[in-house]
Amino acid sequence: MKGYTVAVCSPGPHEVQQMVREQYTTTTEGTHIQRPENQCVYKIGIYGWRKRCLYLFVLLLLIILLVNFALTIWILKVMWFSPTGMGHLRVTKDGLRLEGESEFLFPLYAKEIHSRVDSSLLLQSTQNVTVNARNSEGEVTGRLKVGPKMVEVQSQQFQINSKDGKPLFTVDEKEVVVGTDKLRVTGPEGALFEHSVETPLVRADPFQDLRLESPTRSLSMDAPKGVHIKAHAGKIEALSQMDIIFQSSDGMLVLDAETVCLPKLVQGTRGAAGSSQGLYEICVCPDGKLYLSVAGVGTTCHENSHICL
């Protein structure tokens, strides 16, 4: 016995619904089954305008793919992409290496920036160059700002070291320390200090005058072991609008010179002609005032003591 499958199409008046039925017929060998004349055949696939649209869409995708591939090749060539980097930018095991001049439009974050061994590092900007140091919380702990009119450093401490690591100049909120053996001020007006200055030596250049001046206040020089004022090739002048006081609590005041000149001392009444031979003695009042008295056989200071009144 053999089975055969027959497909029968029963179209409706408006072809809204189609039904396929399978009819199994059992026949004996040699039996011939006639197929109906009105048989519907279905074609599988896309035909007509849908097929043309599909081909056009596939062709458009192929064109876009080729254009994108060409643009990718062009960008790789223009930007100088290579296995080691892009253009003048090279990726090394130590970080990034940039050759030539580069322009950064936004902030640059880096742990270390250094130049090649045979060239210097140049940071340039039309406005200012700012270098910030931040902590783990993002707060600025140090700032270096180089502007067109001022260089500003914001930090707890500013220090300049020599190539050997020796501090040369240190600044903090409490003091300024100069670590060099000599501090030289070459300005024509000298140096202006609003507060005290501590130094072991103040010296002018050779063949130049040294002036210590306080225009509106007093000038004081203190030292635990002594103050030495020396002029090896000139003179020493002390000028004051009011008093000049030399005071020694435990020692004495020594004027050691071949000639001590006091040209404006007050003179007492001259004695009899020829008795003094042009000689005078220096007298001291109880308050320390000095005056001259005509020398005699004995002291004559008491005769002119009215000057101390």
Side-chain angles (χ1 to χ4, degrees):
M1 301 292 292
K2 293 184 179 180
Y4 294 88
T5 302
V6 179
V8 179
C9 177
S10 300
H14 302 287
E15 297 183 356
V16 178
Q17 182 179 4
Q18 295 180 355
M19 181 181 299
V20 179
R21 297 183 305 173
E22 294 183 356
Q23 181 179 2
Y24 297 91
T25 305
T26 304
T27 59
T28 58
E29 295 183 0
T31 304
H32 180 70
I33 300 177
Q34 297 291 335
R35 294 187 178 182
E37 297 179 359
N38 190 13
Q39 183 178 6
C40 297
V41 179
Y42 293 94
K43 297 180 179 181
I44 301 175
I46 301 176
Y47 300 93
W49 64 273
R50 295 182 179 87
K51 183 176 182 181
R52 291 191 293 271
C53 290
L54 178 61
Y55 288 162
L56 182 61
F57 181 71
V58 173
L59 180 61
L60 181 62
L61 289 180
L62 182 61
I63 294 174
I64 294 175
L65 179 62
L66 293 177
V67 171
N68 289 336
F69 182 75
L71 288 177
T72 303
I73 297 299
W74 179 76
I75 291 174
L76 292 176
K77 184 177 180 180
V78 170
M79 299 301 293
W80 297 354
F81 278 98
S82 64
T84 59
M86 178 184 67
H88 295 291
L89 184 64
R90 296 289 184 267
V91 180
T92 63
K93 61 180 181 179
D94 298 329
L96 298 179
R97 180 177 180 179
L98 189 60
E99 300 288 344
E101 297 182 0
S102 301
E103 181 178 358
F104 299 94
L105 302 179
F106 296 97
L108 174 64
Y109 298 90
K111 181 180 179 181
E112 181 181 355
I113 301 176
H114 61 87
S115 64
R116 297 186 307 179
V117 179
D118 56 346
S119 63
S120 59
L121 177 63
L122 175 62
L123 300 178
Q124 184 175 358
S125 174
T126 57
Q127 297 296 327
N128 59 67
V129 177
T130 304
V131 180
N132 293 333
R134 302 177 182 271
N135 56 13
S136 59
E137 299 178 357
E139 299 177 353
V140 178
T141 57
R143 173 176 298 171
L144 172 62
K145 182 178 180 181
V146 181
K149 296 182 179 180
M150 181 178 61
V151 177
E152 180 182 353
V153 178
Q154 179 182 351
S155 180
Q156 296 181 356
Q157 186 180 26
F158 177 72
Q159 183 171 328
I160 300 177
N161 298 332
S162 64
K163 62 180 181 180
D164 300 332
K166 178 182 178 181
L168 301 179
F169 184 77
T170 306
V171 180
D172 56 18
E173 296 181 357
K174 297 181 179 180
E175 61 182 1
V176 176
V177 179
V178 179
T180 58
D181 297 335
K182 181 188 299 184
L183 174 62
R184 183 176 182 182
V185 180
T186 59
E189 298 296 331
L192 176 62
F193 301 96
E194 296 183 358
H195 301 284
S196 61
V197 178
E198 182 178 351
T199 177
L201 176 63
V202 179
R203 183 177 61 186
D205 288 338
F207 306 104
Q208 299 293 330
D209 296 336
L210 175 63
R211 294 178 56 188
L212 301 178
E213 182 179 357
S214 178
T216 59
R217 294 292 187 268
S218 61
L219 177 62
S220 175
M221 292 184 292
D222 301 327
K225 293 185 178 181
V227 177
H228 300 274
I229 302 176
K230 294 181 180 180
H232 296 283
K235 60 182 180 179
I236 298 176
E237 293 184 3
L239 304 178
S240 176
Q241 182 68 26
M242 299 181 67
D243 299 333
I244 297 178
I245 301 176
F246 295 94
Q247 181 180 359
S248 177
S249 57
D250 296 333
M252 58 181 178
L253 178 62
V254 179
L255 300 177
D256 185 6
E258 294 182 358
T259 302
V260 177
C261 182
L262 302 174
K264 295 185 179 181
L265 287 181
V266 180
Q267 296 183 8
T269 305
R270 182 183 294 270
S275 61
S276 65
Q277 299 180 359
L279 301 178
Y280 295 87
E281 61 176 325
I282 299 177
C283 303
V284 182
C285 296
D287 59 354
K289 184 179 180 180
L290 300 178
Y291 64 93
L292 294 178
S293 179
V294 179
V297 179
T299 179
T300 58
C301 291
H302 61 281
E303 299 177 2
N304 301 307
S305 60
H306 62 277
I307 296 177
C308 298
L309 301 179

